[in-house]
Amino acid sequence: MKKFIVAGNWKMNKTSQEADAFLKSLLEKLKPKAARELLLFPSFLSLPTFQSALAKSFVQYGGQNCYFANMGAFTGEVSPTMLKAVGATHCLVGHSERRTLFGETNLDTAKKIQALQETGLTPVLCVGETESERTNNTTLAVIEKQLIEGLSQSDFSKPLILAYEPVWAIGTGKVATAENIREVHAFIHQFCEQKYKIQLPILYGGSVNAKNCRELEAVEYVNGFLIGGASLDPESLLTIYGG
Ligand code: PEP
């Protein structure tokens, strides 16, 4: 049985001291569940705190972004090798905030996935449509392009995770309907099966919280969540994880 993945994206929130306090409070109550994984994406600066606090824990963690070279003159960037050295196992790629605020392209996501897989880390490729793309009925075409271009350098024999995050549902409190989510997840599932002959875990992200998580978890082809705001509070994360 594949495990349901509960992943938290902290974005630019929490200092390393706050991260430490969060982990202490989380670990006091957290009990592992056989059918679930827990994964957190803190700021780069909190990764060493995670490494010490989670040394004996099943909780995994990763970077919110990385560069596609492993070293060199790339001021301000962080490499997959640096992430691995602090115990990271995963890295987000192509989050909508990276795409819209920092100009990340599908080609960038492809190169990052390749570099992460070569380093032994699991990329989590985020895809999703904007509100106007949904209104114009181009949702599936936009996602297909993000997948074809973003996965063009991927090694499908290595771990890889996808996250469907409608841009209009991220941080807005607007949640996609179960039918919206089922349609897109089914499309991604079938696309990957037909084109790459593989079934990849597909997370849903967009205003998931402790109140709506059970209903969303029941949607077909939803294999986990990518959670922003609601992952910042240990109690709500514990509820979503199911602990
Ligand atoms: C996200 O940052 O990936 C996200 C889904 O945020 P939120 O849960 O706050 O909508």
Side-chain angles (χ1 to χ4, degrees), residues 4 7 31 36-37 49-50 54 81 97 101 110 114 123 128 148 186 199 223 232 236 238:
F4 191 87
K31 302 255 182 320
R36 292 168 99 81
E37 280 181 35
T49 302
F50 270 61
L54 298 177
T81 303
E97 286 148 20
L101 301 174
Q114 183 181 23
I148 291 176
Q199 290 186 3
N223 310 120
L232 292 168
S236 79
L238 278 165

PDB file of all heavy atoms in Angstrom, residues 4 7 31 36-37 49-50 54 81 97 101 110 114 123 128 148 186 199 223 232 236 238:
ATOM      1  N   PHE A   4       0.046   7.725   2.375  1.00  0.00           N
ATOM      2  CA  PHE A   4      -0.518   9.057   2.140  1.00  0.00           C
ATOM      3  C   PHE A   4       0.504  10.070   2.684  1.00  0.00           C
ATOM      4  O   PHE A   4       0.959   9.959   3.828  1.00  0.00           O
ATOM      5  CB  PHE A   4      -1.858   9.172   2.875  1.00  0.00           C
ATOM      6  CG  PHE A   4      -2.639  10.393   2.499  1.00  0.00           C
ATOM      7  CD1 PHE A   4      -3.494  10.384   1.406  1.00  0.00           C
ATOM      8  CD2 PHE A   4      -2.516  11.563   3.249  1.00  0.00           C
ATOM      9  CE1 PHE A   4      -4.215  11.520   1.067  1.00  0.00           C
ATOM     10  CE2 PHE A   4      -3.234  12.700   2.906  1.00  0.00           C
ATOM     11  CZ  PHE A   4      -4.092  12.680   1.815  1.00  0.00           C
ATOM     12  N   ALA A   7       2.514  16.882   3.619  1.00  0.00           N
ATOM     13  CA  ALA A   7       3.704  17.724   3.476  1.00  0.00           C
ATOM     14  C   ALA A   7       3.359  19.176   3.806  1.00  0.00           C
ATOM     15  O   ALA A   7       2.317  19.676   3.383  1.00  0.00           O
ATOM     16  CB  ALA A   7       4.238  17.627   2.045  1.00  0.00           C
ATOM     17  N   LYS A  31       2.617  10.569  16.757  1.00  0.00           N
ATOM     18  CA  LYS A  31       2.824   9.111  16.763  1.00  0.00           C
ATOM     19  C   LYS A  31       2.868   8.661  15.309  1.00  0.00           C
ATOM     20  O   LYS A  31       1.983   9.030  14.533  1.00  0.00           O
ATOM     21  CB  LYS A  31       1.634   8.404  17.428  1.00  0.00           C
ATOM     22  CG  LYS A  31       1.346   8.840  18.841  1.00  0.00           C
ATOM     23  CD  LYS A  31       1.802   7.768  19.827  1.00  0.00           C
ATOM     24  CE  LYS A  31       1.516   8.090  21.263  1.00  0.00           C
ATOM     25  NZ  LYS A  31       1.701   9.448  21.709  1.00  0.00           N
ATOM     26  N   ARG A  36       1.060   6.541   6.671  1.00  0.00           N
ATOM     27  CA  ARG A  36       1.222   7.971   6.391  1.00  0.00           C
ATOM     28  C   ARG A  36       2.664   8.425   6.536  1.00  0.00           C
ATOM     29  O   ARG A  36       3.404   7.922   7.393  1.00  0.00           O
ATOM     30  CB  ARG A  36       0.335   8.779   7.353  1.00  0.00           C
ATOM     31  CG  ARG A  36      -1.133   8.563   7.048  1.00  0.00           C
ATOM     32  CD  ARG A  36      -1.996   9.097   8.127  1.00  0.00           C
ATOM     33  NE  ARG A  36      -2.549  10.409   7.842  1.00  0.00           N
ATOM     34  CZ  ARG A  36      -3.607  10.617   7.084  1.00  0.00           C
ATOM     35  NH1 ARG A  36      -4.216   9.621   6.504  1.00  0.00           N
ATOM     36  NH2 ARG A  36      -4.064  11.837   6.884  1.00  0.00           N
ATOM     37  N   GLU A  37       3.040   9.391   5.680  1.00  0.00           N
ATOM     38  CA  GLU A  37       4.368  10.007   5.796  1.00  0.00           C
ATOM     39  C   GLU A  37       4.193  11.466   6.172  1.00  0.00           C
ATOM     40  O   GLU A  37       3.219  12.095   5.762  1.00  0.00           O
ATOM     41  CB  GLU A  37       5.077   9.999   4.430  1.00  0.00           C
ATOM     42  CG  GLU A  37       5.690   8.678   4.083  1.00  0.00           C
ATOM     43  CD  GLU A  37       6.393   8.729   2.738  1.00  0.00           C
ATOM     44  OE1 GLU A  37       6.983   9.761   2.376  1.00  0.00           O
ATOM     45  OE2 GLU A  37       6.319   7.702   2.044  1.00  0.00           O
ATOM     46  N   THR A  49      18.566  22.937  12.162  1.00  0.00           N
ATOM     47  CA  THR A  49      17.720  22.717  13.345  1.00  0.00           C
ATOM     48  C   THR A  49      16.899  21.441  13.154  1.00  0.00           C
ATOM     49  O   THR A  49      16.754  20.626  14.070  1.00  0.00           O
ATOM     50  CB  THR A  49      16.763  23.922  13.537  1.00  0.00           C
ATOM     51  OG1 THR A  49      17.559  25.082  13.665  1.00  0.00           O
ATOM     52  CG2 THR A  49      15.859  23.764  14.724  1.00  0.00           C
ATOM     53  N   PHE A  50      16.368  21.273  11.961  1.00  0.00           N
ATOM     54  CA  PHE A  50      15.600  20.056  11.651  1.00  0.00           C
ATOM     55  C   PHE A  50      16.504  18.825  11.765  1.00  0.00           C
ATOM     56  O   PHE A  50      16.103  17.787  12.284  1.00  0.00           O
ATOM     57  CB  PHE A  50      15.003  20.142  10.237  1.00  0.00           C
ATOM     58  CG  PHE A  50      13.641  20.771  10.205  1.00  0.00           C
ATOM     59  CD1 PHE A  50      13.434  22.072  10.627  1.00  0.00           C
ATOM     60  CD2 PHE A  50      12.542  20.053   9.762  1.00  0.00           C
ATOM     61  CE1 PHE A  50      12.169  22.649  10.614  1.00  0.00           C
ATOM     62  CE2 PHE A  50      11.277  20.606   9.746  1.00  0.00           C
ATOM     63  CZ  PHE A  50      11.088  21.912  10.167  1.00  0.00           C
ATOM     64  N   LEU A  54      15.326  16.157  14.427  1.00  0.00           N
ATOM     65  CA  LEU A  54      14.631  14.993  13.853  1.00  0.00           C
ATOM     66  C   LEU A  54      15.550  13.790  13.652  1.00  0.00           C
ATOM     67  O   LEU A  54      15.180  12.838  12.955  1.00  0.00           O
ATOM     68  CB  LEU A  54      13.979  15.384  12.518  1.00  0.00           C
ATOM     69  CG  LEU A  54      12.912  16.481  12.612  1.00  0.00           C
ATOM     70  CD1 LEU A  54      12.380  16.843  11.244  1.00  0.00           C
ATOM     71  CD2 LEU A  54      11.754  16.027  13.515  1.00  0.00           C
ATOM     72  N   THR A  81      23.346  19.181  -3.371  1.00  0.00           N
ATOM     73  CA  THR A  81      24.358  18.572  -2.489  1.00  0.00           C
ATOM     74  C   THR A  81      24.328  19.210  -1.100  1.00  0.00           C
ATOM     75  O   THR A  81      24.475  18.526  -0.085  1.00  0.00           O
ATOM     76  CB  THR A  81      25.767  18.753  -3.106  1.00  0.00           C
ATOM     77  OG1 THR A  81      25.724  18.173  -4.402  1.00  0.00           O
ATOM     78  CG2 THR A  81      26.843  18.085  -2.288  1.00  0.00           C
ATOM     79  N   GLU A  97       4.650  30.252  -6.347  1.00  0.00           N
ATOM     80  CA  GLU A  97       5.290  31.519  -5.941  1.00  0.00           C
ATOM     81  C   GLU A  97       6.663  31.661  -6.604  1.00  0.00           C
ATOM     82  O   GLU A  97       7.091  32.767  -6.934  1.00  0.00           O
ATOM     83  CB  GLU A  97       5.381  31.589  -4.408  1.00  0.00           C
ATOM     84  CG  GLU A  97       4.010  31.862  -3.812  1.00  0.00           C
ATOM     85  CD  GLU A  97       3.765  31.244  -2.447  1.00  0.00           C
ATOM     86  OE1 GLU A  97       4.729  30.901  -1.748  1.00  0.00           O
ATOM     87  OE2 GLU A  97       2.582  31.085  -2.090  1.00  0.00           O
ATOM     88  N   LEU A 101       6.582  34.931  -8.819  1.00  0.00           N
ATOM     89  CA  LEU A 101       7.354  36.031  -8.210  1.00  0.00           C
ATOM     90  C   LEU A 101       8.814  36.027  -8.651  1.00  0.00           C
ATOM     91  O   LEU A 101       9.465  37.062  -8.649  1.00  0.00           O
ATOM     92  CB  LEU A 101       7.314  35.929  -6.676  1.00  0.00           C
ATOM     93  CG  LEU A 101       5.932  35.967  -6.031  1.00  0.00           C
ATOM     94  CD1 LEU A 101       6.026  35.711  -4.533  1.00  0.00           C
ATOM     95  CD2 LEU A 101       5.278  37.326  -6.279  1.00  0.00           C
ATOM     96  N   ALA A 110      12.686  21.493 -14.996  1.00  0.00           N
ATOM     97  CA  ALA A 110      13.249  20.247 -15.557  1.00  0.00           C
ATOM     98  C   ALA A 110      14.695  20.054 -15.098  1.00  0.00           C
ATOM     99  O   ALA A 110      15.094  18.962 -14.690  1.00  0.00           O
ATOM    100  CB  ALA A 110      13.178  20.296 -17.075  1.00  0.00           C
ATOM    101  N   GLN A 114      16.306  17.110 -12.546  1.00  0.00           N
ATOM    102  CA  GLN A 114      17.449  16.269 -12.945  1.00  0.00           C
ATOM    103  C   GLN A 114      18.558  16.337 -11.881  1.00  0.00           C
ATOM    104  O   GLN A 114      19.084  15.311 -11.441  1.00  0.00           O
ATOM    105  CB  GLN A 114      17.980  16.728 -14.302  1.00  0.00           C
ATOM    106  CG  GLN A 114      19.115  15.859 -14.799  1.00  0.00           C
ATOM    107  CD  GLN A 114      19.668  16.327 -16.143  1.00  0.00           C
ATOM    108  OE1 GLN A 114      19.511  17.500 -16.512  1.00  0.00           O
ATOM    109  NE2 GLN A 114      20.289  15.434 -16.863  1.00  0.00           N
ATOM    110  N   PRO A 123      12.387  15.041  -5.892  1.00  0.00           N
ATOM    111  CA  PRO A 123      11.751  16.312  -6.250  1.00  0.00           C
ATOM    112  C   PRO A 123      10.232  16.221  -6.073  1.00  0.00           C
ATOM    113  O   PRO A 123       9.643  15.163  -6.301  1.00  0.00           O
ATOM    114  CB  PRO A 123      12.076  16.484  -7.742  1.00  0.00           C
ATOM    115  CG  PRO A 123      12.981  15.356  -8.116  1.00  0.00           C
ATOM    116  CD  PRO A 123      12.853  14.291  -7.078  1.00  0.00           C
ATOM    117  N   GLY A 128      -0.072  23.770 -11.676  1.00  0.00           N
ATOM    118  CA  GLY A 128      -1.415  24.291 -11.388  1.00  0.00           C
ATOM    119  C   GLY A 128      -1.723  25.499 -12.236  1.00  0.00           C
ATOM    120  O   GLY A 128      -0.819  26.184 -12.718  1.00  0.00           O
ATOM    121  N   ILE A 148       4.895  18.100 -19.357  1.00  0.00           N
ATOM    122  CA  ILE A 148       5.761  17.667 -20.473  1.00  0.00           C
ATOM    123  C   ILE A 148       7.118  18.359 -20.366  1.00  0.00           C
ATOM    124  O   ILE A 148       8.167  17.717 -20.438  1.00  0.00           O
ATOM    125  CB  ILE A 148       5.104  17.972 -21.843  1.00  0.00           C
ATOM    126  CG1 ILE A 148       3.899  17.066 -22.042  1.00  0.00           C
ATOM    127  CG2 ILE A 148       6.111  17.795 -22.990  1.00  0.00           C
ATOM    128  CD1 ILE A 148       3.109  17.327 -23.313  1.00  0.00           C
ATOM    129  N   ALA A 186      -7.116  12.970 -11.855  1.00  0.00           N
ATOM    130  CA  ALA A 186      -7.324  11.838 -12.781  1.00  0.00           C
ATOM    131  C   ALA A 186      -6.577  12.109 -14.082  1.00  0.00           C
ATOM    132  O   ALA A 186      -5.928  11.216 -14.649  1.00  0.00           O
ATOM    133  CB  ALA A 186      -8.813  11.648 -13.048  1.00  0.00           C
ATOM    134  N   GLN A 199       3.066   5.364 -12.341  1.00  0.00           N
ATOM    135  CA  GLN A 199       2.075   5.984 -11.451  1.00  0.00           C
ATOM    136  C   GLN A 199       2.841   6.778 -10.409  1.00  0.00           C
ATOM    137  O   GLN A 199       3.586   6.201  -9.620  1.00  0.00           O
ATOM    138  CB  GLN A 199       1.259   4.905 -10.735  1.00  0.00           C
ATOM    139  CG  GLN A 199       0.332   4.169 -11.668  1.00  0.00           C
ATOM    140  CD  GLN A 199      -0.577   3.201 -10.926  1.00  0.00           C
ATOM    141  OE1 GLN A 199      -0.563   3.104  -9.701  1.00  0.00           O
ATOM    142  NE2 GLN A 199      -1.369   2.472 -11.694  1.00  0.00           N
ATOM    143  N   ASN A 223      -3.193  11.512  -3.321  1.00  0.00           N
ATOM    144  CA  ASN A 223      -2.261  10.638  -2.577  1.00  0.00           C
ATOM    145  C   ASN A 223      -1.552  11.368  -1.444  1.00  0.00           C
ATOM    146  O   ASN A 223      -0.600  10.833  -0.855  1.00  0.00           O
ATOM    147  CB  ASN A 223      -1.211  10.051  -3.536  1.00  0.00           C
ATOM    148  CG  ASN A 223      -1.835   9.436  -4.772  1.00  0.00           C
ATOM    149  OD1 ASN A 223      -1.551   9.853  -5.887  1.00  0.00           O
ATOM    150  ND2 ASN A 223      -2.707   8.471  -4.583  1.00  0.00           N
ATOM    151  N   LEU A 232       1.751  25.575   9.722  1.00  0.00           N
ATOM    152  CA  LEU A 232       2.570  26.410  10.613  1.00  0.00           C
ATOM    153  C   LEU A 232       2.206  26.220  12.083  1.00  0.00           C
ATOM    154  O   LEU A 232       2.932  26.668  12.970  1.00  0.00           O
ATOM    155  CB  LEU A 232       2.406  27.891  10.233  1.00  0.00           C
ATOM    156  CG  LEU A 232       2.993  28.269   8.873  1.00  0.00           C
ATOM    157  CD1 LEU A 232       2.528  29.662   8.456  1.00  0.00           C
ATOM    158  CD2 LEU A 232       4.508  28.194   8.889  1.00  0.00           C
ATOM    159  N   SER A 236      -2.733  21.984  14.188  1.00  0.00           N
ATOM    160  CA  SER A 236      -3.479  21.726  12.944  1.00  0.00           C
ATOM    161  C   SER A 236      -2.730  20.720  12.074  1.00  0.00           C
ATOM    162  O   SER A 236      -3.343  19.863  11.433  1.00  0.00           O
ATOM    163  CB  SER A 236      -3.851  23.010  12.208  1.00  0.00           C
ATOM    164  OG  SER A 236      -2.776  23.507  11.493  1.00  0.00           O
ATOM    165  N   LEU A 238      -0.935  18.255  13.226  1.00  0.00           N
ATOM    166  CA  LEU A 238      -1.202  16.952  13.849  1.00  0.00           C
ATOM    167  C   LEU A 238      -2.588  16.434  13.464  1.00  0.00           C
ATOM    168  O   LEU A 238      -2.756  15.257  13.172  1.00  0.00           O
ATOM    169  CB  LEU A 238      -1.126  17.071  15.375  1.00  0.00           C
ATOM    170  CG  LEU A 238       0.268  17.029  15.992  1.00  0.00           C
ATOM    171  CD1 LEU A 238       0.223  17.530  17.432  1.00  0.00           C
ATOM    172  CD2 LEU A 238       0.854  15.617  15.928  1.00  0.00           C
TER     173      LEU A 238
END
